[in-house]
Amino acid sequence: MLSISQLAKHAGIARSSIMYYERIGLLLPSTRSDNGYRWYGPTEVARLDSIMAYRSYGIAIEDIGKLLDRNCQSQATILKDHFQKLELEIKQLRQQQSAIVELLNIEHKIEEDTVNKERWVAIMVASGFSEDDMTRWHQNFERMEPEEHQKFLESLGINAAEIEQIRKL
């Protein structure tokens, strides 16, 4: 039997992660001692190893529970859905790469203010971006780097009202 600290060390994660998994019902201790200590046996260790493997594949916690318990969708369905999501993300990343390559091939640099909104949209369209792709690109940029997104939009010469609309997408 392993304590919560030993189990966390085995998995290379924080104790709080195991406590979170317990709170959401994903990983329960096999027993609790009279003093409240949690103890985990080989079954729980194997379950945590599976949780960690699924997490490394990028599968969402709520789907991991379904995969482990197999009480909702089949394992194949969940994994195929996740695979399709990854395919879409890869496609979007490749489009972003293409847009950056196109931008780098421009004779004039952004710092010289020669790339405006219209030119940027043309680059994105030439790279295969649809309106939805461009919206997702802005949403991700805003979520990940809001201040840099603001600066980027300003560098394209977009007015404040339109920047506000774009940032709310």
Side-chain angles (χ1 to χ4, degrees), residues 83-127:
F83 184 84
Q84 289 173 343
K85 287 177 191 173
L86 289 174
E87 282 291 317
L88 178 61
E89 287 178 35
I90 290 167
K91 177 186 173 201
Q92 291 169 346
L93 289 171
R94 293 213 187 281
Q95 289 173 334
Q96 290 174 9
Q97 284 179 327
S98 296
I100 290 170
V101 166
E102 179 70 23
L103 182 61
L104 291 173
N105 288 330
I106 295 173
E107 292 180 21
H108 304 289
K109 298 181 182 188
I110 291 178
E111 292 85 26
E112 297 170 355
D113 291 329
T114 56
V115 177
N116 59 21
K117 175 188 169 190
E118 291 74 23
R119 178 69 179 136
W120 182 254
V121 169
I123 291 168
M124 299 290 272
V125 169
S127 298

Short mmCIF file of all heavy atoms in Angstrom, two decimals, residues 83-127:
data_model
loop_
_atom_site.label_atom_id
_atom_site.label_comp_id
_atom_site.label_asym_id
_atom_site.label_seq_id
_atom_site.Cartn_x
_atom_site.Cartn_y
_atom_site.Cartn_z
N PHE A 83 -8.77 12.20 -31.54
CA PHE A 83 -7.88 12.19 -32.70
C PHE A 83 -8.32 13.24 -33.71
O PHE A 83 -7.48 13.98 -34.26
CB PHE A 83 -7.87 10.79 -33.34
CG PHE A 83 -6.91 10.66 -34.48
CD1 PHE A 83 -5.57 10.39 -34.25
CD2 PHE A 83 -7.35 10.83 -35.78
CE1 PHE A 83 -4.68 10.28 -35.31
CE2 PHE A 83 -6.47 10.71 -36.85
CZ PHE A 83 -5.13 10.44 -36.62
N GLN A 84 -9.62 13.34 -33.95
CA GLN A 84 -10.14 14.33 -34.90
C GLN A 84 -9.87 15.75 -34.41
O GLN A 84 -9.54 16.64 -35.20
CB GLN A 84 -11.63 14.10 -35.16
CG GLN A 84 -11.88 12.85 -35.96
CD GLN A 84 -13.36 12.51 -36.09
OE1 GLN A 84 -14.19 13.02 -35.35
NE2 GLN A 84 -13.68 11.64 -37.04
N LYS A 85 -10.01 15.98 -33.10
CA LYS A 85 -9.70 17.30 -32.54
C LYS A 85 -8.23 17.62 -32.75
O LYS A 85 -7.88 18.76 -33.11
CB LYS A 85 -10.03 17.34 -31.05
CG LYS A 85 -11.50 17.37 -30.73
CD LYS A 85 -11.73 17.35 -29.23
CE LYS A 85 -13.18 17.10 -28.88
NZ LYS A 85 -13.38 16.92 -27.44
N LEU A 86 -7.37 16.65 -32.53
CA LEU A 86 -5.94 16.86 -32.75
C LEU A 86 -5.65 17.16 -34.21
O LEU A 86 -4.83 18.04 -34.53
CB LEU A 86 -5.14 15.64 -32.29
CG LEU A 86 -5.06 15.40 -30.79
CD1 LEU A 86 -4.36 14.07 -30.50
CD2 LEU A 86 -4.36 16.54 -30.08
N GLU A 87 -6.32 16.45 -35.12
CA GLU A 87 -6.14 16.70 -36.55
C GLU A 87 -6.50 18.14 -36.89
O GLU A 87 -5.79 18.81 -37.65
CB GLU A 87 -7.01 15.74 -37.38
CG GLU A 87 -6.44 14.36 -37.52
CD GLU A 87 -5.19 14.30 -38.38
OE1 GLU A 87 -5.14 14.94 -39.45
OE2 GLU A 87 -4.24 13.62 -37.96
N LEU A 88 -7.61 18.64 -36.35
CA LEU A 88 -8.03 20.01 -36.60
C LEU A 88 -7.01 21.00 -36.05
O LEU A 88 -6.64 21.97 -36.72
CB LEU A 88 -9.41 20.27 -35.99
CG LEU A 88 -9.96 21.68 -36.14
CD1 LEU A 88 -10.12 22.04 -37.62
CD2 LEU A 88 -11.29 21.82 -35.43
N GLU A 89 -6.52 20.75 -34.83
CA GLU A 89 -5.51 21.63 -34.24
C GLU A 89 -4.25 21.64 -35.09
O GLU A 89 -3.66 22.71 -35.30
CB GLU A 89 -5.18 21.19 -32.81
CG GLU A 89 -6.27 21.49 -31.81
CD GLU A 89 -5.92 21.00 -30.41
OE1 GLU A 89 -4.73 21.04 -30.03
OE2 GLU A 89 -6.84 20.57 -29.70
N ILE A 90 -3.82 20.48 -35.57
CA ILE A 90 -2.63 20.40 -36.41
C ILE A 90 -2.84 21.20 -37.69
O ILE A 90 -1.96 21.95 -38.12
CB ILE A 90 -2.27 18.92 -36.71
CG1 ILE A 90 -1.75 18.24 -35.44
CG2 ILE A 90 -1.25 18.82 -37.84
CD1 ILE A 90 -1.66 16.73 -35.54
N LYS A 91 -4.02 21.06 -38.28
CA LYS A 91 -4.34 21.81 -39.51
C LYS A 91 -4.25 23.32 -39.24
O LYS A 91 -3.66 24.06 -40.03
CB LYS A 91 -5.74 21.45 -40.00
CG LYS A 91 -6.19 22.23 -41.21
CD LYS A 91 -7.63 21.94 -41.58
CE LYS A 91 -8.08 22.88 -42.68
NZ LYS A 91 -9.51 23.01 -42.74
N GLN A 92 -4.82 23.74 -38.13
CA GLN A 92 -4.80 25.17 -37.79
C GLN A 92 -3.38 25.65 -37.53
O GLN A 92 -3.00 26.74 -37.97
CB GLN A 92 -5.69 25.44 -36.58
CG GLN A 92 -7.16 25.25 -36.87
CD GLN A 92 -8.02 25.26 -35.63
OE1 GLN A 92 -7.55 25.14 -34.52
NE2 GLN A 92 -9.33 25.39 -35.83
N LEU A 93 -2.57 24.84 -36.87
CA LEU A 93 -1.18 25.22 -36.61
C LEU A 93 -0.40 25.31 -37.92
O LEU A 93 0.41 26.22 -38.11
CB LEU A 93 -0.52 24.23 -35.66
CG LEU A 93 -1.00 24.28 -34.21
CD1 LEU A 93 -0.44 23.10 -33.42
CD2 LEU A 93 -0.62 25.60 -33.56
N ARG A 94 -0.65 24.38 -38.83
CA ARG A 94 0.03 24.43 -40.13
C ARG A 94 -0.38 25.70 -40.90
O ARG A 94 0.44 26.32 -41.57
CB ARG A 94 -0.27 23.19 -40.95
CG ARG A 94 0.34 21.94 -40.34
CD ARG A 94 0.75 20.93 -41.39
NE ARG A 94 1.17 19.68 -40.81
CZ ARG A 94 2.36 19.45 -40.27
NH1 ARG A 94 3.23 20.42 -40.22
NH2 ARG A 94 2.67 18.27 -39.77
N GLN A 95 -1.65 26.07 -40.79
CA GLN A 95 -2.10 27.30 -41.45
C GLN A 95 -1.41 28.52 -40.83
O GLN A 95 -1.00 29.44 -41.54
CB GLN A 95 -3.62 27.43 -41.34
CG GLN A 95 -4.36 26.43 -42.20
CD GLN A 95 -5.87 26.45 -41.95
OE1 GLN A 95 -6.32 26.82 -40.88
NE2 GLN A 95 -6.63 26.02 -42.94
N GLN A 96 -1.25 28.50 -39.53
CA GLN A 96 -0.56 29.59 -38.86
C GLN A 96 0.90 29.64 -39.30
O GLN A 96 1.45 30.72 -39.54
CB GLN A 96 -0.66 29.46 -37.34
CG GLN A 96 -2.06 29.70 -36.81
CD GLN A 96 -2.20 29.42 -35.33
OE1 GLN A 96 -1.23 29.19 -34.63
NE2 GLN A 96 -3.43 29.43 -34.85
N GLN A 97 1.52 28.47 -39.41
CA GLN A 97 2.90 28.43 -39.90
C GLN A 97 2.99 29.02 -41.31
O GLN A 97 3.90 29.80 -41.60
CB GLN A 97 3.42 26.98 -39.94
CG GLN A 97 3.79 26.42 -38.61
CD GLN A 97 4.27 24.98 -38.72
OE1 GLN A 97 3.79 24.22 -39.57
NE2 GLN A 97 5.21 24.60 -37.87
N SER A 98 2.07 28.65 -42.16
CA SER A 98 2.07 29.16 -43.53
C SER A 98 1.90 30.67 -43.55
O SER A 98 2.57 31.36 -44.33
CB SER A 98 0.94 28.51 -44.35
OG SER A 98 1.16 27.14 -44.48
N ALA A 99 1.03 31.18 -42.69
CA ALA A 99 0.82 32.62 -42.62
C ALA A 99 2.10 33.32 -42.17
O ALA A 99 2.47 34.37 -42.71
CB ALA A 99 -0.32 32.95 -41.67
N ILE A 100 2.80 32.74 -41.22
CA ILE A 100 4.05 33.34 -40.74
C ILE A 100 5.11 33.30 -41.83
O ILE A 100 5.83 34.28 -42.05
CB ILE A 100 4.52 32.65 -39.45
CG1 ILE A 100 3.56 33.00 -38.30
CG2 ILE A 100 5.95 33.05 -39.10
CD1 ILE A 100 3.77 32.19 -37.04
N VAL A 101 5.21 32.17 -42.54
CA VAL A 101 6.18 32.07 -43.64
C VAL A 101 5.87 33.13 -44.68
O VAL A 101 6.77 33.82 -45.17
CB VAL A 101 6.15 30.65 -44.26
CG1 VAL A 101 6.88 30.61 -45.59
CG2 VAL A 101 6.75 29.65 -43.29
N GLU A 102 4.60 33.29 -45.03
CA GLU A 102 4.20 34.30 -45.99
C GLU A 102 4.57 35.69 -45.49
O GLU A 102 5.11 36.51 -46.24
CB GLU A 102 2.69 34.21 -46.26
CG GLU A 102 2.16 35.25 -47.22
CD GLU A 102 2.60 35.03 -48.66
OE1 GLU A 102 2.94 33.89 -49.02
OE2 GLU A 102 2.61 36.01 -49.42
N LEU A 103 4.33 35.94 -44.22
CA LEU A 103 4.66 37.24 -43.64
C LEU A 103 6.17 37.48 -43.69
O LEU A 103 6.61 38.58 -43.99
CB LEU A 103 4.15 37.32 -42.20
CG LEU A 103 4.37 38.63 -41.48
CD1 LEU A 103 3.65 39.77 -42.20
CD2 LEU A 103 3.88 38.53 -40.05
N LEU A 104 6.94 36.45 -43.40
CA LEU A 104 8.40 36.60 -43.42
C LEU A 104 8.93 36.84 -44.84
O LEU A 104 10.02 37.40 -45.00
CB LEU A 104 9.07 35.37 -42.82
CG LEU A 104 8.86 35.19 -41.31
CD1 LEU A 104 9.41 33.85 -40.86
CD2 LEU A 104 9.50 36.33 -40.54
N ASN A 105 8.18 36.42 -45.84
CA ASN A 105 8.61 36.63 -47.23
C ASN A 105 8.23 38.01 -47.76
O ASN A 105 8.60 38.35 -48.88
CB ASN A 105 8.01 35.55 -48.13
CG ASN A 105 8.67 34.20 -47.91
OD1 ASN A 105 9.83 34.13 -47.54
ND2 ASN A 105 7.91 33.14 -48.11
N ILE A 106 7.50 38.78 -46.99
CA ILE A 106 7.11 40.13 -47.41
C ILE A 106 8.35 41.02 -47.40
O ILE A 106 9.17 40.96 -46.49
CB ILE A 106 6.03 40.69 -46.46
CG1 ILE A 106 4.77 39.85 -46.58
CG2 ILE A 106 5.73 42.15 -46.76
CD1 ILE A 106 3.72 40.23 -45.57
N GLU A 107 8.47 41.84 -48.41
CA GLU A 107 9.65 42.70 -48.51
C GLU A 107 9.72 43.71 -47.37
O GLU A 107 10.79 44.03 -46.89
CB GLU A 107 9.64 43.44 -49.86
CG GLU A 107 9.86 42.54 -51.04
CD GLU A 107 9.84 43.30 -52.35
OE1 GLU A 107 10.06 44.53 -52.34
OE2 GLU A 107 9.59 42.67 -53.38
N HIS A 108 8.57 44.22 -46.97
CA HIS A 108 8.55 45.23 -45.92
C HIS A 108 8.20 44.58 -44.59
O HIS A 108 7.39 43.66 -44.54
CB HIS A 108 7.52 46.32 -46.24
CG HIS A 108 7.76 46.95 -47.57
ND1 HIS A 108 8.81 47.78 -47.82
CD2 HIS A 108 7.09 46.83 -48.74
CE1 HIS A 108 8.78 48.17 -49.08
NE2 HIS A 108 7.74 47.60 -49.66
N LYS A 109 8.74 45.06 -43.51
CA LYS A 109 8.50 44.48 -42.19
C LYS A 109 7.31 45.17 -41.52
O LYS A 109 6.97 46.30 -41.83
CB LYS A 109 9.74 44.63 -41.32
CG LYS A 109 10.91 43.88 -41.88
CD LYS A 109 12.10 44.02 -41.00
CE LYS A 109 13.21 43.27 -41.70
NZ LYS A 109 14.37 43.08 -41.05
N ILE A 110 6.71 44.45 -40.57
CA ILE A 110 5.58 45.01 -39.81
C ILE A 110 5.99 46.30 -39.12
O ILE A 110 5.23 47.26 -39.07
CB ILE A 110 5.07 43.99 -38.78
CG1 ILE A 110 4.39 42.83 -39.49
CG2 ILE A 110 4.11 44.63 -37.78
CD1 ILE A 110 3.91 41.74 -38.56
N GLU A 111 7.23 46.33 -38.61
CA GLU A 111 7.69 47.51 -37.87
C GLU A 111 7.63 48.78 -38.72
O GLU A 111 7.54 49.88 -38.20
CB GLU A 111 9.12 47.31 -37.36
CG GLU A 111 9.24 46.27 -36.28
CD GLU A 111 9.37 44.86 -36.84
OE1 GLU A 111 9.86 44.69 -37.98
OE2 GLU A 111 8.95 43.93 -36.15
N GLU A 112 7.69 48.62 -40.02
CA GLU A 112 7.65 49.77 -40.91
C GLU A 112 6.22 50.16 -41.25
O GLU A 112 5.99 51.03 -42.08
CB GLU A 112 8.43 49.45 -42.20
CG GLU A 112 9.90 49.18 -41.94
CD GLU A 112 10.60 48.63 -43.15
OE1 GLU A 112 9.94 48.35 -44.18
OE2 GLU A 112 11.82 48.46 -43.08
N ASP A 113 5.25 49.51 -40.61
CA ASP A 113 3.82 49.81 -40.78
C ASP A 113 3.33 49.62 -42.22
O ASP A 113 2.36 50.24 -42.62
CB ASP A 113 3.48 51.22 -40.30
CG ASP A 113 3.59 51.35 -38.81
OD1 ASP A 113 3.34 50.35 -38.09
OD2 ASP A 113 3.92 52.44 -38.35
N THR A 114 3.99 48.78 -43.00
CA THR A 114 3.52 48.57 -44.36
C THR A 114 2.50 47.44 -44.44
O THR A 114 1.84 47.30 -45.46
CB THR A 114 4.70 48.26 -45.31
OG1 THR A 114 5.41 47.14 -44.83
CG2 THR A 114 5.62 49.45 -45.43
N VAL A 115 2.41 46.64 -43.40
CA VAL A 115 1.40 45.59 -43.38
C VAL A 115 0.18 46.14 -42.65
O VAL A 115 0.24 46.46 -41.49
CB VAL A 115 1.91 44.30 -42.68
CG1 VAL A 115 0.81 43.26 -42.61
CG2 VAL A 115 3.12 43.76 -43.41
N ASN A 116 -0.90 46.26 -43.40
CA ASN A 116 -2.14 46.77 -42.81
C ASN A 116 -3.13 45.62 -42.67
O ASN A 116 -2.83 44.47 -43.01
CB ASN A 116 -2.69 47.92 -43.63
CG ASN A 116 -2.98 47.50 -45.06
OD1 ASN A 116 -3.13 46.33 -45.37
ND2 ASN A 116 -3.06 48.49 -45.94
N LYS A 117 -4.31 45.94 -42.20
CA LYS A 117 -5.33 44.92 -41.99
C LYS A 117 -5.64 44.16 -43.28
O LYS A 117 -5.69 42.92 -43.28
CB LYS A 117 -6.61 45.56 -41.44
CG LYS A 117 -7.76 44.59 -41.30
CD LYS A 117 -9.05 45.30 -40.95
CE LYS A 117 -10.22 44.35 -41.08
NZ LYS A 117 -11.49 45.03 -40.99
N GLU A 118 -5.81 44.87 -44.36
CA GLU A 118 -6.18 44.24 -45.61
C GLU A 118 -5.08 43.28 -46.09
O GLU A 118 -5.37 42.16 -46.55
CB GLU A 118 -6.46 45.30 -46.71
CG GLU A 118 -7.73 46.11 -46.48
CD GLU A 118 -7.60 47.15 -45.36
OE1 GLU A 118 -6.46 47.57 -45.03
OE2 GLU A 118 -8.64 47.53 -44.81
N ARG A 119 -3.83 43.69 -45.96
CA ARG A 119 -2.71 42.84 -46.37
C ARG A 119 -2.65 41.60 -45.48
O ARG A 119 -2.42 40.50 -45.96
CB ARG A 119 -1.40 43.64 -46.31
CG ARG A 119 -0.18 42.83 -46.66
CD ARG A 119 -0.16 42.45 -48.15
NE ARG A 119 1.05 41.69 -48.40
CZ ARG A 119 1.09 40.59 -49.13
NH1 ARG A 119 0.01 40.16 -49.72
NH2 ARG A 119 2.21 39.94 -49.30
N TRP A 120 -2.84 41.78 -44.18
CA TRP A 120 -2.81 40.65 -43.25
C TRP A 120 -3.92 39.65 -43.57
O TRP A 120 -3.69 38.45 -43.60
CB TRP A 120 -2.90 41.13 -41.81
CG TRP A 120 -2.81 39.99 -40.84
CD1 TRP A 120 -3.81 39.45 -40.11
CD2 TRP A 120 -1.65 39.21 -40.53
NE1 TRP A 120 -3.36 38.39 -39.36
CE2 TRP A 120 -2.03 38.22 -39.61
CE3 TRP A 120 -0.32 39.25 -40.96
CZ2 TRP A 120 -1.14 37.28 -39.09
CZ3 TRP A 120 0.56 38.31 -40.44
CH2 TRP A 120 0.15 37.35 -39.52
N VAL A 121 -5.11 40.13 -43.83
CA VAL A 121 -6.23 39.25 -44.18
C VAL A 121 -5.90 38.49 -45.47
O VAL A 121 -6.15 37.29 -45.58
CB VAL A 121 -7.55 40.03 -44.30
CG1 VAL A 121 -8.66 39.18 -44.92
CG2 VAL A 121 -7.99 40.55 -42.93
N ALA A 122 -5.31 39.19 -46.44
CA ALA A 122 -4.94 38.54 -47.71
C ALA A 122 -3.91 37.43 -47.47
O ALA A 122 -3.99 36.36 -48.08
CB ALA A 122 -4.38 39.57 -48.69
N ILE A 123 -2.97 37.67 -46.58
CA ILE A 123 -1.98 36.65 -46.24
C ILE A 123 -2.66 35.43 -45.61
O ILE A 123 -2.36 34.29 -45.97
CB ILE A 123 -0.90 37.22 -45.27
CG1 ILE A 123 -0.04 38.25 -46.00
CG2 ILE A 123 -0.06 36.10 -44.67
CD1 ILE A 123 0.84 39.08 -45.07
N MET A 124 -3.57 35.69 -44.69
CA MET A 124 -4.27 34.59 -44.01
C MET A 124 -5.11 33.79 -45.02
O MET A 124 -5.10 32.56 -44.99
CB MET A 124 -5.17 35.14 -42.89
CG MET A 124 -4.42 35.89 -41.80
SD MET A 124 -3.42 34.85 -40.77
CE MET A 124 -4.61 34.40 -39.54
N VAL A 125 -5.81 34.48 -45.90
CA VAL A 125 -6.63 33.79 -46.91
C VAL A 125 -5.74 32.99 -47.85
O VAL A 125 -6.04 31.84 -48.17
CB VAL A 125 -7.51 34.80 -47.67
CG1 VAL A 125 -8.17 34.17 -48.89
CG2 VAL A 125 -8.57 35.39 -46.74
N ALA A 126 -4.62 33.57 -48.27
CA ALA A 126 -3.69 32.87 -49.15
C ALA A 126 -3.10 31.63 -48.48
O ALA A 126 -2.72 30.68 -49.15
CB ALA A 126 -2.56 33.82 -49.59
N SER A 127 -3.07 31.64 -47.16
CA SER A 127 -2.54 30.49 -46.41
C SER A 127 -3.62 29.45 -46.14
O SER A 127 -3.36 28.47 -45.46
CB SER A 127 -1.95 30.97 -45.09
OG SER A 127 -0.86 31.84 -45.33
#
